[in-house]
Amino acid sequence: MTAGDPHTSVRPIGEDRIRADQWHLQFLNIAAAHRFSLGAGVTVAVPDTGVDSHPDLHRNLLPGFNALFRDSGDGRSDGHGHGTGMGGVIAAHGQGGNRGALGIAPQAKILPIISSSAENLGDPEDLAIAVEMAISHGVQVISVSSTGSTNHRLTQAIKQALASDIVVVAGVGNRPVIQHVSYPATEPGVLAVGGVDRAGNHAALSVTGPEVDITAPAVEIYSTSTKGSYRRGTGTSGATAIVAGAAALIRARHPNLAASEVVHRLTATAVDKGPPGRDDQYGYGVIDIVAALTADVPPLGFESATAAAPAARPTDAEAERSDSDRAATTRGLVTLGVIVAAGGAWAFIARRRRRSDDPPPRISR
């Protein structure tokens, strides 16, 4: 796990500064995004070290599974902290009054699946079992927090998830432990996530390559940890969890949208960085969650797919719900602290990217 998140620390129990420390929330304009969606009705599977029943997260935590020891526990325990951190990035609801950690999709549910531990970094077989369990549970998003080698069973499980209309999100990996994008981020159809720093520039630790699809904050990401404490992690794990949470927001707002179109919406609205168009550092660009939720994005197959400014507005019920919520392997796989979300293979079509100096989409009020 340490190899996946090279800079990790734990904050004292009861620390109230956690919300202010979550810089990525302001960077991503999450307050505006939550006017349109909170992720209600969507379940995100987190195959990782398990997810503790943290005060900031427990209402969104479903009973899950243990892929390491089939008949032991329901995934709601964590001997390491990594999985609890990823669950919190995705779906922490906080404790009201801006206290505690807030996730990207604070009304989404987390299905915790233990697929690795401090003693066992995980192997393809364990992750394959975890993905199979997630599919059988009917999740809409899978957040994979590891990368490494694969085997026939894992490859088939990931392909089956994509064929089952699940958004699969995976981190590209962290240097120097990993030098090239590894599985499952290399699987066609999986949304491969790289990282950026506080300035929105490519994070040096984030692996580069032609498989990178999108980037998100990956440096000093504060979230939940074990025994009611908090953690700070740097790595593409956090970036992956952010993108998985964004996928949950989109699936809640557009429940009839195919997984492949969810992925397309995320990449089509990303803010272009680096050389014009897709590149090996940023992919299609840095995630813009508000635009992904609201922009008029032509469906896959339209090569002139340019995201227009949003015309949608949240319903009164959505706005009220949002306001009240804000108040109230080595052997196989090296942990990245990321998520999995993907659904059906998508076409890599030519499209204009929004540049970083373009005005952001307007939010209709």
Side-chain angles (χ1 to χ4, degrees):
M1 308 302 168
T2 303
D5 282 324
H7 309 295
T8 300
S9 64
V10 176
R11 298 180 65 83
I13 295 174
E15 186 82 37
D16 287 338
R17 288 192 55 211
I18 183 66
R19 189 71 60 88
D21 287 336
Q22 291 186 288
W23 69 270
H24 64 281
L25 299 179
Q26 288 72 40
F27 181 91
L28 298 166
N29 200 7
I30 288 300
H34 285 173
R35 293 181 55 235
F36 297 94
S37 178
L38 294 166
V42 176
T43 299
V44 181
V46 179
D48 209 292
T49 60
V51 180
D52 256 1
S53 187
H54 193 285
D56 296 355
L57 180 61
H58 70 97
R59 294 200 304 268
N60 292 337
L61 194 57
L62 300 173
F65 311 96
N66 190 330
L68 299 181
F69 304 100
R70 312 296 186 260
D71 300 320
S72 176
D74 61 5
R76 291 183 291 189
S77 62
D78 184 359
H80 183 276
H82 188 273
T84 305
M86 297 308 103
V89 170
I90 299 166
H93 48 65
Q95 299 176 42
N98 289 326
R99 292 184 65 249
L102 182 67
I104 301 299
Q107 287 186 0
K109 300 298 184 183
I110 295 295
L111 181 71
I113 306 176
I114 298 176
S115 59
S116 59
S117 67
E119 295 75 27
N120 177 9
L121 289 181
D123 64 18
E125 192 73 8
D126 295 329
L127 181 56
I129 293 169
V131 172
E132 291 165 359
M133 289 175 170
I135 295 169
S136 68
H137 198 275
V139 305
Q140 290 83 33
V141 178
I142 298 176
S143 172
V144 175
S145 31
S146 56
T147 187
S149 61
T150 188
N151 61 16
H152 177 74
R153 185 172 183 176
L154 177 55
T155 299
Q156 292 305 115
I158 294 294
K159 288 181 176 180
Q160 182 58 44
L162 297 172
S164 299
D165 196 40
I166 298 172
V167 178
V168 181
V169 181
V172 299
N174 301 326
R175 291 172 170 163
V177 175
I178 297 173
Q179 295 296 321
H180 304 285
V181 180
S182 302
Y183 205 82
T186 55
E187 180 66 43
V190 170
L191 184 57
V193 182
V196 295
D197 60 20
R198 287 175 178 259
N201 297 320
H202 177 259
L205 59 76
S206 182
V207 171
T208 61
E211 301 89 352
V212 179
D213 294 313
I214 198 167
T215 49
V219 175
E220 296 184 328
I221 304 300
Y222 283 81
S223 185
T224 49
S225 189
T226 58
K227 300 179 180 179
S229 64
Y230 299 96
R231 74 191 295 277
R232 177 183 66 185
T234 291
T236 55
S237 290
T240 303
I242 287 169
V243 174
L249 294 180
I250 295 171
R251 301 219 83 167
R253 181 166 171 80
H254 303 285
N256 297 321
L257 203 63
S260 56
E261 293 290 350
V262 173
V263 171
H264 170 55
R265 179 170 279 272
L266 285 164
T267 57
T269 56
V271 178
D272 195 12
K273 295 275 288 187
R278 201 221 145 264
D279 64 77
D280 289 355
Q281 284 191 327
Y282 297 96
Y284 288 104
V286 181
I287 190 171
D288 184 334
I289 298 178
V290 175
L293 286 168
T294 61
D296 182 10
V297 180
L300 282 167
F302 285 76
E303 293 193 349
S304 61
T306 300
R313 57 176 293 177
T315 65
D316 291 340
E318 284 175 323
E320 290 174 6
R321 188 169 62 243
S322 174
D323 289 341
S324 86
D325 241 59
R326 284 198 296 273
T329 326
T330 38
R331 250 181 60 189
L333 306 169
V334 177
T335 295
L336 302 175
V338 152
I339 306 172
V340 174
W346 69 89
F348 290 96
I349 61 175
R351 50 197 158 187
R352 177 188 176 273
R353 312 295 322 127
R354 264 196 325 114
R355 295 293 299 174
S356 58
D357 54 355
D358 286 348
R362 295 179 293 108
I363 301 175
S364 300
R365 300 183 185 276

